Structures are given as C-alpha cells and as structure tokens.
Amino acid sequence: MARTLINVKKTLTRGEAFEIRLLIAHPMESGQRRDSNGQVIARDIINRFSCTYNDMLVLEATLFPAISANPYLSFWAVATETGSIVMTWTDDHGTVQTERVEVTVSA
Amino acid sequence: MIWLLLLLLVSPAQAQPRSGYLDAGPDSRAMQDDDTANPAFLWVEQGKVLWGSLGCGGCHGDVATMRGVAARYPKYDAVLGRPVSLARRIATHRAVPDSEDMLALLAVIGLQSRGLPLAIDISGPARPSYEAGKALFHRRQGQLNLACANCHDDLAGRHLGGAVIPEGHPNGYPIYRLEWQALGSLERRLRQCVVGVRAVPWADGSRELADLEFFLGARAAGLVVETPAVRP
Amino acid sequence: MNRRAFLLSGAALVAVSVEARATPAEVARLIAALTEGARVVEGGMKLDLPLLVENGNVVAMSITVDDPPPGQHVESLHVFAEANPLPEVLHVRFGPAAARPRIATRIRLATSQSVIALAKLSDGSFRRDSVDLLVTLAACLD
C-alpha cells in the first residue's frame, strides 16, 4: 500500500467549495527509462484515479507517464451533506487502493 | 583592536551564508513552503510510524523532544575521535531496515529542528576534523580538477548551464530533489558532486566524508534548518 | 548492403527516433479526434505553467476554467505535450460533486515545447489554452 497524504478541511458549511489535496508515494516509472544494463525499465504508473463524495462523482482522471513521481493532485468539491470522500486509484499491476476521509457539514 | 582582528581571522570567508532556498525557483520554494504540497512529507509520515515501531519513543518519548538535535549534527564524538552524522548516530541505537527508512527517520527528526539555526560545535578536540574537512573542501580533485570551493565559494550565484550555482549548504537535508523525484541524503548529493568532477567518491562511513560534512555544517553557521527542503 | 537497403535502414532509424517523441502533428490529430469538429474557442481558461522550467521532472501545472454560462458546466479537461515521449498527459472528467473547474498537479516535460489544454463544456464546445515553455537542462545530473 502506497503511503498517502490527504488534506481536506474536515468541518464544512453547506454550499462551500473545498479543496481536496493529496500526495501518493509512487515511482510513476514512465517505461521510457533504461537501467544501467540498457534494459527498458517496465512502466509502472497509477493510470486511473477517481474521487467520490457520498457516492457522487467529484472527478475521475486518466494519468499518463508524464505525471511526476509521487503524484500530487488538488481539486475542488462542493459541501452538501456530512459523509465520506472516497479516493480510489489503480496502477499498472491492477492493484487498487482506496482512501477515505470523513467530513462534517453544517447548515 | 586585537580582539577585532582575531574575530576577523576566525570568521568564515562569507559573511552571511545564503541558503539554496533563495537560489531555487519559485515553484520549488512554493513546494517547500507548504507541507501539504511537499512530497518529502510522505517520508515524514513514514518516519513517525518508524519512530513508534522501532521503539525510539521508549527512551526519547515523543519525537518532538528531538527539537534541536539535527541542528547540532554532525557532532564530534570524543570517544570515536571523529564527527558522527545523525544517520550514523541513529544506526548505533537501532538497526534501521533500509535506506528509505533511514531517510524517513532523518526527515522526521530533522523536521523537529526546522527554523533553528545550525549549531555545530567545532571547538576543542573537534577542531582538527573541521580543518581536515575544510582542506578537503578546498582540494582540487578529479579529471576536471575542481575543488568544492571553486564552484560553491568562488562562483556561487553565477550560472552553470541554466542553473544558479548555490553555496552548497547542508541545512535542508534530507531534501526532496526534483532531479531525483525522491528524498535523498547529503551523502547522495556529495557523491553526485564528486562523480560530476570525475573523481572517485568517498566511501560511505569514511573519515573523509565525516570530516567534510562536519566542515559543511560549520560553514553554514547562521542558516536555519529547513528539513525537509525542496531543491531542483 | 546495397544503396536501397542502406536508405531503408536510414528511414527506419528516423522512424524510431520520431516514435520516441510526440510531434505537434500527432497532438493536432489527438485534439481533432477529441473535438470532432466542435467549436474550439481560444481562452476562457488558464493553463498555468512556468515559462522557464527549472527541472523537467517536476513541473507544477494548474488548469482553471472560467465559469461557463448559466446552465452549463465543464465536463472534462485534457492536456497534451507536443514533444514528450507520449503526447497525452492527463484527462479529467468532472462529476456532479465537483466545485470550481480547477485542478493542479505536477508533470514531466522532456524538453522545451508547447503544452496544450482543452476544456469541454456541456454544450459540446471546447475552450483551449497553451503555453510555450523553455526547459533548462540540469547542470548536475544523477
């Protein structure tokens, strides 16, 4: 499991736009590099990412090898109800990782 | 008057050292300024976990009690008769599984001293190590026949290719270097520099590396700890 | 090797080196396939990238789309790099829980080039912004 840092304001007011910011520890090996023996290092990237808020889609993304190692993503959602923000991503090995953050929304 | 002269004699060549932070571009600085955007904090988080799992807290308590420690390293060890880096000190206490874990510990311990001025004690028996490190810093080596000082004292602030030559201070290590896309140690950076001038790098744990790092720490006196810094 | 075989092998080498980098034409083809003849308006969004890149391994990028007319929303964002090994950088599709159409990330740029971003609006039209940037070479490599 990759280490992650997720930053979201936990207490929100309904209607407020809030930022979701995350860093994922991942080499994002591009498949373009060679090792010291001249062999191509196999591509190994996070290629799909999605984020939902109370099961509603915030965004989904297709990532390419042009995304830097230890990917950083920042995007915005609108506070509606108290609930869960769920982030899911898939790498080239098909490994799926899910992280969840609970937010509290007041009127 | 004599005191003033003495003061001038012992003061380092540069009046006030300049952090590499100031020579980094605005995006690198922004990345360092915001802990939620600095990828080095992925290692800091891992370091917090290791602090617990390796049992460091059993003696030291919370990692916050380490405030000030990283600012005093490398530290001269009178028993060993040589300067000891923080990594080496940690390794004498605990078997750290691998180098990534060591970086993580260095990051979380170094972070506790962020904002504190470097305070390397080079007095008394430590003085010869400082002098030895200083001599290495000024010794030309490699096929390019360059000493550290040729670039990082004499040409600091000028350009090499598109990049500003920094003064080469150790106050942000371990650093997240964009070139590496990873956190890396001062030893890694020095190895690159030495290979860069086509010389043979000093072995890890060697006396030369210990003395050089000790000198670098003292040379940066006046700068504050920036760990974990971001550099291009 | 006769002359023709030599020329062919030369052509193959050129093909390989072209394959190793995207081209503006390739990006233009990908954009044409994306927009399918829809209207593309220059502006109305901001692709933010440094004009002078300190290290091409990690380049801070953000995209912000100006609020679309009432009743419309931004469906997706698409980023292309004309001289990277692969032309595609990122595709993002926004859902109903998204707020302002803005995303920030960090990208790799192999060399000096143009980076192009497109935003698709819910009426099927597109907005476009691009940045020509200079990637300086690191003096001290690993």
Side-chain angles (χ1 to χ4, degrees):
Chain A
M1 279 302 179
R3 287 167 287 132
T4 54
L5 282 177
I6 300 172
N7 277 280
V8 179
K9 201 170 127 194
K10 299 287 183 348
T11 329
L12 303 158
T13 310
R14 186 165 297 128
E16 177 184 355
F18 64 99
E19 187 183 13
I20 299 166
R21 190 184 268 207
L22 83 158
L23 280 160
I24 307 171
H26 197 283
M28 294 297 277
E29 189 58 59
S30 67
Q32 305 288 332
R33 302 198 308 158
R34 289 174 188 275
D35 64 19
S36 50
N37 295 320
Q39 300 296 311
V40 171
I41 303 170
R43 194 185 110 151
D44 174 19
I45 69 165
I46 293 167
N47 55 58
R48 295 285 296 163
F49 172 87
S50 71
C51 176
T52 60
Y53 171 26
N54 286 344
D55 298 325
M56 275 217 302
L57 184 70
V58 179
L59 60 74
E60 57 182 9
T62 307
L63 311 183
F64 291 85
I67 301 298
S68 304
N70 305 310
Y72 168 81
L73 284 171
S74 149
F75 48 90
W76 295 73
V78 184
T80 49
E81 303 292 336
T82 294
S84 309
I85 293 166
V86 178
M87 282 162 267
T88 303
W89 57 91
T90 311
D91 69 14
D92 283 342
H93 303 297
T95 310
V96 179
Q97 184 169 347
T98 299
E99 296 287 332
R100 178 185 293 266
V101 180
E102 307 298 329
V103 293
T104 307
V105 177
S106 57
Chain B
M1 188 63 189
I2 288 211
W3 286 114
L4 187 65
L5 268 176
L6 279 173
L7 212 66
L8 284 173
L9 281 173
V10 296
S11 66
Q14 287 128 335
Q16 175 61 39
R18 179 182 166 87
S19 172
Y21 173 86
L22 298 171
D23 295 321
D27 286 328
S28 303
R29 293 201 299 268
M31 216 182 283
Q32 177 175 326
D33 291 342
D34 184 344
D35 295 350
T36 68
N38 182 348
F41 276 79
L42 291 164
W43 280 262
V44 170
E45 287 303 309
Q46 187 189 348
K48 282 182 192 162
V49 172
L50 285 165
W51 182 264
S53 64
L54 292 175
C56 308
C59 293
H60 296 291
D62 193 272
V63 68
T65 62
M66 292 288 103
R67 181 159 174 84
V69 171
R72 296 193 291 270
Y73 275 83
K75 197 171 179 179
Y76 185 77
D77 185 310
V79 176
L80 295 175
R82 57 179 277 174
V84 181
S85 66
L86 184 54
R88 193 178 160 121
R89 177 66 80 221
I90 293 168
T92 58
H93 286 215
R94 280 286 178 273
V96 178
D98 62 33
S99 59
E100 284 293 295
D101 289 336
M102 181 56 90
L103 285 171
L105 281 170
L106 290 171
V108 73
I109 294 170
L111 172 65
Q112 308 310 314
S113 298
R114 191 163 63 173
L116 294 178
L118 287 178
I120 312 297
D121 182 5
I122 57 167
S123 64
R127 192 75 199 182
S129 284
Y130 169 84
E131 296 296 345
K134 186 177 184 179
L136 283 173
F137 190 82
H138 288 90
R139 192 185 80 192
R140 287 180 180 268
Q141 58 173 342
Q143 288 179 327
L144 300 189
N145 198 30
L146 284 171
C148 309
N150 291 142
C151 288
H152 297 288
D153 274 350
D154 304 344
L155 297 174
R158 308 268 297 269
H159 284 75
L160 180 62
V164 177
I165 301 172
E167 289 182 6
H169 294 298
N171 57 316
Y173 285 85
I175 60 168
Y176 192 87
R177 192 165 180 235
L178 304 190
E179 179 62 29
W180 298 333
Q181 296 179 75
L183 200 71
S185 64
L186 176 59
E187 291 74 22
R188 180 176 181 184
R189 190 71 195 84
L190 289 173
R191 198 157 50 234
Q192 277 190 359
C193 286
V194 173
V195 169
V197 299
R198 314 280 189 270
V200 179
W202 297 291
D204 275 350
S206 66
R207 181 65 194 252
E208 288 91 344
L209 209 47
D211 289 342
L212 180 60
E213 287 180 27
F214 191 53
F215 168 72
L216 289 176
R219 176 175 171 266
L223 292 181
V224 297
V225 175
E226 292 178 20
T227 306
V230 177
R231 297 287 184 268
Chain C
M1 187 189 283
N2 63 31
R3 185 161 177 265
R4 175 165 296 173
F6 175 77
L7 285 174
L8 280 173
S9 68
L13 275 177
V14 169
V16 167
S17 65
V18 167
E19 216 174 62
R21 283 239 188 286
T23 61
E26 193 180 353
V27 168
R29 275 196 300 276
L30 284 167
I31 291 174
L34 174 72
T35 54
E36 293 181 309
R39 193 163 56 97
V40 180
V41 179
E42 197 69 36
M45 65 181 292
K46 174 76 179 161
L47 168 63
D48 206 356
L49 279 163
L51 298 180
L52 189 66
V53 172
E54 201 171 20
N55 190 300
N57 286 345
V58 185
V59 186
M61 174 179 80
S62 71
I63 302 165
T64 311
V65 186
D66 298 348
D67 285 334
Q72 284 191 48
H73 61 270
V74 179
E75 274 187 359
S76 60
L77 295 175
H78 311 267
V79 184
F80 303 93
E82 287 191 338
N84 262 10
L86 299 167
E88 286 165 289
V89 175
L90 178 69
H91 298 300
V92 175
R93 188 170 72 85
F94 292 108
R100 57 192 68 156
R102 177 187 154 86
I103 184 162
T105 186
R106 295 170 187 150
I107 67 169
R108 294 170 172 147
L109 293 169
T111 184
S112 300
Q113 57 182 302
S114 296
V115 178
I116 300 165
L118 286 108
K120 185 181 187 186
L121 273 54
S122 49
D123 70 350
S125 72
F126 284 83
R127 292 174 179 175
R128 180 187 188 277
D129 194 18
S130 63
V131 174
D132 295 329
L133 43 76
L134 200 65
V135 178
T136 60
L137 293 177
C140 301
L141 296 168
D142 213 346

